[in-house]
C-alpha cells in the first residue's frame, strides 16, 4: 500500500512511545526568528523549501503543468533511485539525512525490536532497545547551528507521530486535542522545539486557502484523502514567519477518496495536486520567495508497481513454518510482512536451515542474508536488534502477509506495490530549483536518496566532510566555478563509479544480491559458505574504496587539492571491483 501510515503499521505497531527528550515549548510562545550566518560564503540562498511526495511518479508530475513549469527553472533528475527496502519512512529519512538505513536505524515502515514492532515515531524518542528512534543526528541540527529555524510539516519523525507522544506540557490550554499537536514542529536555532499548530498562532489562525471562511487549525493527518493545500499552506506560513528551512510531506497521487485507483481513474487527484502547487508557488512568489533567493527541492520516496488485478498475497509465516524442506519453529520466528519482508529469528542458529528451505517457499526473487544486508546498507550499526535475520524480496506482484491462510489470492484493494526489487519501484525523480542550479535542464545522472542533502549543503556552501553523509553532491545540479570543463568531467566519472559501487540499488548491490540469493539456498553446504565469504570480502573492499573515492569527491567540492592522478586511480579501482562483481553474475 502506498499511504504513509500503511496497513503494515496498523497491523504491527506496538510502540509505547517514550517521552520526547528534546527541549519543548508548550503554551504559545514567540517564535525565535533570529538568524545568524545562514548560507555559507558564496551562496545567495535565503530559504530552503524541501517537499517529498508519497509515490508520485515522474509521469504524474508531467501531467501537472504548473509543477512542470516551475521545475523548468531548475534541474530535473530523472534517474534518481531509492534505498532498500523502498518504502516511505526509510526512504524519506535517507533523502532527508543523506544517510542509508544502517545509519538512520530505520530500515522499513516498521522493524522488530525484541518483543514488538515499531514504526513512525519522533526522532529522539527512545525505542524499546533504548536507542533513539532515528539513530543518526537529527537533520535540523546543522541548520540550527547556522542560525536557521527548521520546520516540519508531516515530515517523517521530525514531528510527533502519535497521540501517545503528546504530553500535557506540550499543549496550549486553549486546545486540549492531542491530534492537533501531531505533524507540525519547529526546531528553533535556540535549541527549543515547538510542537503543534496550536502553539504557532500565525499558522493555526491563518485563513484557509481552501476554505476562506475557516482558519487553518490543527494538522489534518497523513491520510490520502486530506487536503494538499493544508500542508502547502502550513509550509508557506512557516516560511513567511521566521522559519526559512522547511521539510514537508505530501500524500500520494494514486488515490481517489482514500482508495487506491488504476491509471485513468485518479486524474482528478493529479489536477488537485497541480492546483494546490500552483497556488503555493503563486503565493510564495508574492511573498518574495522565488528561485532567485530560495532553494526548492521536490522529490518522492519510491515508485509503484502496477497490479491491475490487485496484489497477489499469501502468509509468509505459514510457508516458513510449514514447507517440505524445513519447518521453522513459529515461536522462533517473527515476520514483518511486505513485498520486501523482514524476517527475524530469535535464535539465529537455525538460520542456515531456514534459508536452505526457501526453494520450497513460493513468490520471491531475491534474499538478503546477514552478509548481504551489510552490502546493501541495511544492517543497523547502532541498534543490532533492528537488523533482520534476512530480507525476502518478493516478485513485483507479490505481497507477503504474516498471518492467515497460505492460499494465494488477489487483493483488489491494493493495485500498487513497492518495497521489492523492480525498476518501476526503484527508479524515481527529483527536481531542484534555486540559486546555483542550472535552469531548463533534465539530467540523467545516476543518483539516489543519499545525494539530496549533500547537494543542498553544497549549494549552501556548508562543510561536507564532517557530516558523515553516505551520498555526494550531484555534479549535474551543482557545478562550482572551480569544477568546470575537464575537471567536471572527471568528477562526473568519479561520481558514477562511486554511486554504482556504494548505492544499495547500484550495480554492486544488485550483483551481490544475486550471489547472496544463491548463497542462501545453499546455506547448509560448502557452496553457500564460499559465496557468502566472497560477498563479505567484496563488501570490505567496497567499503574502503568507496570511502576513499567519496573523500576525493568531497575534497574537490570543498576546493581542496586532489591530484588528477589520484582521482583517476581511485576511480579505476572502483570500476575494477565493479567489473569483477558484475561479471561474476553474468
Amino acid at each position: 500500500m502506498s499511504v504513509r501510515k500503511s496497513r503494515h503499521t496498523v497491523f504491527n505497531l506496538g510502540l509505547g512511545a517514550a517521552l520526547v527528550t528534546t527541549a519543548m515549548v508548550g503554551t504559545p510562545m514567540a517564535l525565535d526568528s533570529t538568524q545568524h550566518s545562514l548560507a555559507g560564503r558564496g551562496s545567495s540562498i535565503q530559504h530552503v523549501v524541501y517537499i517529498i511526495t508519497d509515490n508520485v511518479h515522474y509521469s504524474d508530475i508531467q501531467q501537472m503543468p504548473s509543477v512542470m513549469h516551475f521545475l523548468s527553472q531548475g534541474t530535473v533528475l530523472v534517474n534518481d533511485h531509492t534505498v532498500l527496502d523502498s518504502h516511505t519512512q526509510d526512504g524519506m529519512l535517507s533523502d532527508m539525512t543523506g544517510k542509508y538505513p544502517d545509519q538512520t536505524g530505520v530500515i522499513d515502515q516498521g522493524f522488530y525490536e525484541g518483543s514488538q514492532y515499531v514504526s513512525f515515531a519522533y526522532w529522539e524518542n527512545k525505542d524499546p532497545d533504548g536507542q533513539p528512534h532515528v539513530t543518526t543526528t537529527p537533520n535540523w541540527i546543522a541548520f540550527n547551528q547556522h542560525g536557521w529555524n527548521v520546520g516540519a510539516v508531516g515530515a517523517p519523525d521530525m514531528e510527533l507521530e502519535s497521540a501517545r507522544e503528546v504530553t500535557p506540557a506540550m499543549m496550549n490550554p486553549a486546545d486540549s486535542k492531542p491530534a492537533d499537536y501531531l505533524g507540525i514542529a519547529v526546531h528553533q536555532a535556540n535549541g527549543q522545539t515547538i510542537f503543534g499548530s496550536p502553539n504557532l498562532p500565525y499558522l493555526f489562525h491563518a485563513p484557509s486557502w481552501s476554505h476562506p471562511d475557516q482558519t487553518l487549525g490543527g494538522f489534518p493527518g497523513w491520510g490520502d484523502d486530506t487536503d494538499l493545500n493544508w500542508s502547502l499552506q502550513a509550509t508557506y506560513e512557516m516560511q513567511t514567519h521566521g522559519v526559512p528551512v522547511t521539510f514537508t510531506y505530501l500524500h500520494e497521487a494514486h488515490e481517489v477518496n482514500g482508495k487506491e485507483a488504476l491509471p485513468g481513474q485518479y486524474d482528478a487527484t493529479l489536477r488537485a495536486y497541480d492546483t494546490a502547487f500552483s497556488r503555493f508557488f503563486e503565493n510564495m512568489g508574492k511573498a518574495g520567495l522565488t528561485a532567485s533567493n530560495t532553494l526548492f527541492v521536490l522529490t518522492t520516496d519510491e515508485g509503484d508497481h502496477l497490479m491491475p488485478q490487485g496484489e497477489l498475497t499469501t502468509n509468509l509465516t505459514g510457508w516458513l513454518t510449514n514447507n517440505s524442506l524445513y519447518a521453522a519453529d513459529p515461536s522462533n520466528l517473527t515476520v514483518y510482512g511486505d513485498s520486501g519482508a523482514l524476517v527475524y529469528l530469535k535464535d539465529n542458529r537455525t538460520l542456515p536451515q531456514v534459508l536452505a528451505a526457501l526453494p520450497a517457499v513460493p513468490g520471491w526473487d531475491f534474499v538478503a542474508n546477514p552478509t548481504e544486508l551489510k552490502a546493501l546498507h541495511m544492517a543497523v550499526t547502532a541498534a543490532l536488534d533492528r537488523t533482520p535475520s534476512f530480507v525476502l524480496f518478493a516478485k513485483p506482484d507479490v505481497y507477503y502477509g504474516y498471518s492467515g491462510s497460505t492460499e494465494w489470492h488477489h487483493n483488489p484493494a491494493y493495485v500498487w506495490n513497492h518495497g521489492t526489487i523492480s525498476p518501476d519501484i526503484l527508479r524515481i525523480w527529483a527536481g531542484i530549483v534555486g540559486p546555483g542550479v542550472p535552469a531548463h535542464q533534465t539530467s540523467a545522472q545516476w543518483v539516489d536518496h543519499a545525494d539530496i542533502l549533500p547537494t543542498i549543503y553544497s549549494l549552501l556552501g556548508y562543510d561536507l566532510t564532517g557530516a558523515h553523509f553516505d551520498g555526494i553532491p550531484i555534479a549535474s545540479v551543482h557545478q562550482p566555478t572551480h569544477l568546470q570543463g575537464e575537471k567536471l568531467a572527471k568528477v562526473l566519472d568519479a561520481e558514477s563509479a562511486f554511486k554504482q559501487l556504494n548505492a544499495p540499488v547500484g550495480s554492486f548491490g544488485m550483483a551481490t544480491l544475486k550471489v547472496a540469493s544463491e548463497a542462501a539456498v545453499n546455506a547448509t553446504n560448502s557452496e553457500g559458505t564460499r559465496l557468502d565469504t566472497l560477498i563479505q570480502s567484496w563488501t570490505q573492499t567496497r567499503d574502503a574504496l568507496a570511502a576513499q573515492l567519496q573523500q576525493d569527491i568531497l575534497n574537490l567540492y570543498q576546493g581542496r587539492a586532489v591530484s588528477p592522478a589520484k582521482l583517476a586511480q581511485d576511480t579505476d579501482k572502483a570500476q575494477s571491483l565493479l567489473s569483477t562483481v558484475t561479471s561474476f553474475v553474468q
Side-chain angles (χ1 to χ4, degrees), residues 67-125:
V67 177
M68 288 299 295
H69 175 72
F70 185 82
L71 293 180
S72 71
Q73 300 176 73
T75 295
V76 178
L77 298 154
V78 294
N79 204 19
D80 195 4
H81 294 81
T82 70
V83 296
L84 293 174
D85 281 357
S86 52
H87 274 135
T88 297
Q89 189 183 21
D90 56 317
M92 289 189 177
L93 280 170
S94 288
D95 213 271
M96 296 191 305
T97 62
K99 301 175 184 180
Y100 292 136
D102 56 357
Q103 284 206 69
T104 67
V106 178
I107 57 176
D108 207 314
Q109 296 276 87
F111 44 85
Y112 191 67
E113 292 190 310
S115 62
Q116 60 187 314
Y117 283 115
V118 295
S119 188
F120 295 87
Y122 181 65
W123 199 298
E124 296 181 314
N125 275 359

Side-chain angles (χ1 to χ4, degrees), residues 1 3-15 87-89 108-111 117-121 161-162 164 336-338 399 402:
M1 185 177 179
V3 294
R4 181 180 187 275
K5 299 294 185 182
S6 76
R7 63 189 184 287
H8 317 134
T9 300
V10 173
F11 285 168
N12 296 323
L13 179 58
L15 174 63
H87 274 135
T88 297
Q89 189 183 21
D108 207 314
Q109 296 276 87
F111 44 85
Y117 283 115
V118 295
S119 188
F120 295 87
E161 301 275 350
S162 165
R164 292 188 297 273
Y336 182 81
D338 211 296
Y399 173 86
Y402 70 96

Side-chain angles (χ1 to χ4, degrees), residues 51-54 92 228 231-232 248-252 273 277:
I51 299 173
I52 191 162
T53 63
D54 200 335
M92 289 189 177
L228 289 163
S231 295
L232 290 174
T248 301
Y249 164 91
L250 296 182
H251 66 72
E252 71 158 308
Y273 239 95
F277 266 111

Side-chain angles (χ1 to χ4, degrees), residues 373-397:
L373 291 174
K374 293 180 181 179
L376 298 176
H377 302 288
M378 295 181 70
V380 180
T381 52
L384 299 179
D385 61 326
R386 301 184 188 185
T387 304
S389 300
F390 64 95
V391 176
L392 201 61
F393 292 104
K395 296 181 184 299
D397 284 355

Side-chain angles (χ1 to χ4, degrees), residues 513-553:
L513 184 57
K514 292 179 182 178
V515 179
S517 301
E518 187 66 22
V521 299
N522 286 282
T524 56
N525 62 50
S526 60
E527 176 65 1
T529 301
R530 183 184 76 86
L531 294 174
D532 200 54
T533 301
L534 195 58
I535 297 170
Q536 185 177 32
S537 175
W538 285 339
T539 301
Q540 289 173 345
T541 304
R542 185 278 305 272
D543 290 345
L545 292 179
Q548 186 57 65
L549 190 53
Q550 182 191 42
Q551 191 64 54
D552 292 343
I553 294 167

Side-chain angles (χ1 to χ4, degrees), residues 473-526:
I474 301 169
S476 62
V477 171
H478 188 211
Q479 302 160 11
T481 54
H482 64 276
L483 293 180
Q484 298 294 327
E486 183 178 349
K487 186 175 288 187
L488 179 61
K490 297 296 185 184
V491 171
L492 283 165
D493 287 343
E495 290 198 348
S496 176
F498 173 76
K499 294 310 301 182
Q500 294 309 310
L501 191 62
N502 199 51
V505 302
S507 299
F508 181 89
M510 293 298 93
T512 55
L513 184 57
K514 292 179 182 178
V515 179
S517 301
E518 187 66 22
V521 299
N522 286 282
T524 56
N525 62 50
S526 60

Side-chain angles (χ1 to χ4, degrees), residues 436-465:
V437 180
H440 310 294
Q441 176 181 232
T442 299
S443 170
Q445 183 180 356
W446 203 107
V447 301
D448 77 348
H449 280 320
D451 300 321
I452 298 299
L453 198 63
T455 303
I456 294 173
Y457 267 41
S458 184
L459 287 162
L460 286 169
Y462 288 178
D463 178 61
L464 295 164
T465 52

Side-chain angles (χ1 to χ4, degrees), residues 123-327:
W123 199 298
E124 296 181 314
N125 275 359
K126 290 296 194 300
D127 273 2
D129 59 6
Q131 296 296 321
H133 182 68
V134 184
T135 58
T136 193
T137 304
N139 61 345
W140 59 82
I141 296 296
F143 292 107
N144 287 167
Q145 291 172 342
H146 283 82
W148 307 70
N149 296 320
V150 179
V153 181
D157 307 325
M158 292 182 68
E159 27 64 30
L160 302 182
E161 301 275 350
S162 165
R164 292 188 297 273
E165 298 177 303
V166 180
T167 67
M170 300 175 189
M171 293 193 288
N172 181 336
D175 188 327
S176 59
K177 292 170 56 180
D180 284 351
Y181 296 86
L182 307 181
I184 292 292
V186 175
H187 304 279
Q188 297 191 106
N190 65 11
Q192 292 184 313
T193 295
I194 299 173
F195 292 107
S197 56
N199 288 320
L200 299 168
Y202 66 82
L203 195 162
F204 193 79
H205 297 298
S208 167
W209 290 349
S210 301
H211 307 284
D213 58 329
Q214 301 175 15
T215 55
L216 202 55
F219 181 64
W222 292 272
D224 288 326
D225 54 353
T226 56
D227 184 8
L228 289 163
N229 286 282
W230 197 99
S231 295
L232 290 174
Q233 184 177 352
T235 302
Y236 166 85
E237 300 295 343
M238 287 185 180
Q239 285 284 340
T240 55
H241 288 84
V243 187
V245 179
T246 51
F247 289 81
T248 301
Y249 164 91
L250 296 182
H251 66 72
E252 71 158 308
H254 298 163
E255 299 265 348
V256 176
N257 297 323
K259 296 181 180 180
E260 292 192 2
L262 296 170
Q265 297 176 347
Y266 52 80
D267 291 350
T269 307
L270 299 182
R271 289 193 295 271
Y273 239 95
D274 193 54
T275 299
F277 266 111
S278 177
R279 176 180 285 161
F280 174 72
F281 294 140
E282 180 181 1
N283 287 335
M284 291 286 281
K286 289 178 179 178
L289 280 71
T290 68
S292 66
N293 59 22
T294 302
L295 181 66
F296 294 87
V297 177
L298 180 60
T299 187
T300 194
D301 52 357
E302 72 263 339
D304 270 337
H305 175 75
L306 178 63
M307 306 162 295
Q309 292 182 283
E311 65 187 11
L312 187 59
T313 187
T314 188
N315 171 18
L316 178 59
T317 304
W319 282 106
L320 293 173
T321 58
N322 185 20
N323 65 71
S324 60
L325 294 179
Y326 178 80

